[in-house]
Amino acid sequence: MNKEEFEEEVKNLGINLNEEQKEQLEKFYEILIEENKKINLTRIIEKEDVYLKHFYDSLTIVKETNLKEVKTLCDVGSGAGLPGIVLKIIYPHLKVTLLDSLLKRVNYLNESIKKLKLENIEAIHTRSENYQGQFDVVTSRAVANLKKLIPWCIHLVKENGMFIAMKGNIEEETIDINQLLKKYHCEIKKINKFVLPKENSNRALVVIKKSNH
């Protein structure tokens, strides 16, 4: 997916990029590739692949939440800053918290934030289960299976907020999950399955909300 195709496809998600955002994404790509030589952030390094499988993929979360109306977002296991940094670039009003358990990655994230001149976003070196915070939206992209993610993430969701797990294939992960959902007082509201443009690989957004009881 070249940059022109990327811009067209994100329009279908309701996103119109301005020049500053285009430049920031390009700069973020350069930082990612440079830092990837020093620490293991991604196997995907070709520009067209990064724009499709990382940048566009990060933005698909808007299929299930209107980020214009969201104030706070937490990206659990942020890794290379996907989706957290991409979402901050496109929705600058968001207050974003990136959590990662590896200090090297946290240093890279905070350095990237500085180079991109982003405000109201920070990376914190911690495991999500040890972190205290309440967010409108909590997300986690390609980190672990749902049985691990729910205990790690659901306590970070504020009342009426949501946890959106960004997944590839989801089929096996939802088998025998009801007990766990009950234990953590939450429920799967929706699973939105779709394919990425151009290469048609499977994606799913799993929307999980705290139960009212």
Side-chain angles (χ1 to χ4, degrees):
M1 178 182 273
N2 64 35
K3 287 200 278 186
E4 289 70 30
E5 290 168 326
F6 171 75
E7 286 164 34
E8 277 308 304
E9 285 295 346
V10 298
K11 273 184 191 160
N12 296 332
L13 297 172
I15 297 165
N16 288 301
L17 300 171
N18 61 36
E19 287 310 311
E20 185 187 9
Q21 288 166 333
K22 291 176 197 174
E23 283 167 24
Q24 282 177 312
L25 286 172
E26 183 62 18
K27 188 168 185 181
F28 183 36
Y29 167 74
E30 288 163 10
I31 295 167
L32 175 62
I33 296 310
E34 197 49 46
E35 291 300 315
N36 197 52
K37 293 171 187 168
K38 301 173 210 163
I39 59 170
N40 180 23
L41 295 166
T42 177
R43 290 193 305 272
I44 296 166
I45 53 173
E46 295 301 323
K47 185 183 276 195
E48 296 204 348
D49 289 339
V50 170
Y51 268 80
L52 172 62
K53 294 178 186 176
H54 282 335
F55 293 176
Y56 175 85
D57 190 36
S58 290
L59 292 169
T60 58
I61 193 173
V62 304
K63 290 173 180 278
E64 288 304 327
T65 178
N66 181 359
L67 288 178
K68 290 175 186 163
E69 294 175 1
V70 169
K71 293 193 178 91
T72 58
L73 180 135
C74 181
D75 179 15
V76 171
S78 189
L82 304 157
I85 287 180
V86 175
L87 296 178
K88 178 67 189 178
I89 288 170
I90 306 305
Y91 297 94
H93 72 281
L94 278 178
K95 186 175 191 313
V96 176
T97 302
L98 312 174
L99 302 183
D100 203 279
S101 60
L102 193 70
L103 185 59
K104 270 193 221 167
R105 284 199 295 255
V106 171
N107 291 339
Y108 145 79
L109 289 166
N110 281 320
E111 201 52 41
S112 301
I113 288 164
K114 210 183 291 177
K115 286 176 182 166
L116 293 163
K117 299 184 169 65
L118 299 174
E119 291 173 1
N120 250 343
I121 173 172
E122 63 173 337
I124 297 169
H125 177 225
T126 184
R127 292 186 176 280
S128 58
E129 58 268 42
N130 299 331
Y131 188 72
Q132 296 301 314
Q134 293 282 280
F135 300 91
D136 298 321
V137 172
V138 176
T139 188
S140 190
R141 177 178 174 268
V143 170
N145 67 44
L146 283 177
K147 286 178 179 167
K148 287 182 178 167
L149 283 177
I150 289 167
W152 291 351
C153 297
I154 202 70
H155 69 283
L156 298 171
V157 179
K158 66 160 61 160
E159 201 179 335
N160 298 322
M162 63 174 94
F163 167 44
I164 302 177
M166 306 180 76
K167 311 292 292 180
N169 247 335
I170 195 68
E171 301 308 328
E172 288 171 11
E173 293 192 28
T174 52
I175 298 167
D176 299 330
I177 204 167
N178 286 342
Q179 283 305 105
L180 188 79
L181 292 168
K182 227 176 249 171
K183 181 181 173 183
Y184 286 94
H185 307 292
C186 59
E187 54 193 321
I188 294 176
K189 283 290 188 189
K190 187 174 178 186
I191 299 178
N192 181 344
K193 296 178 190 173
F194 57 98
V195 294
L196 283 188
K198 285 187 80 75
E199 51 120 62
N200 293 327
S201 56
N202 292 323
R203 293 291 185 273
L205 298 172
V206 186
V207 181
I208 300 173
K209 290 203 157 196
K210 284 186 176 169
S211 318
N212 295 325
H213 46 76

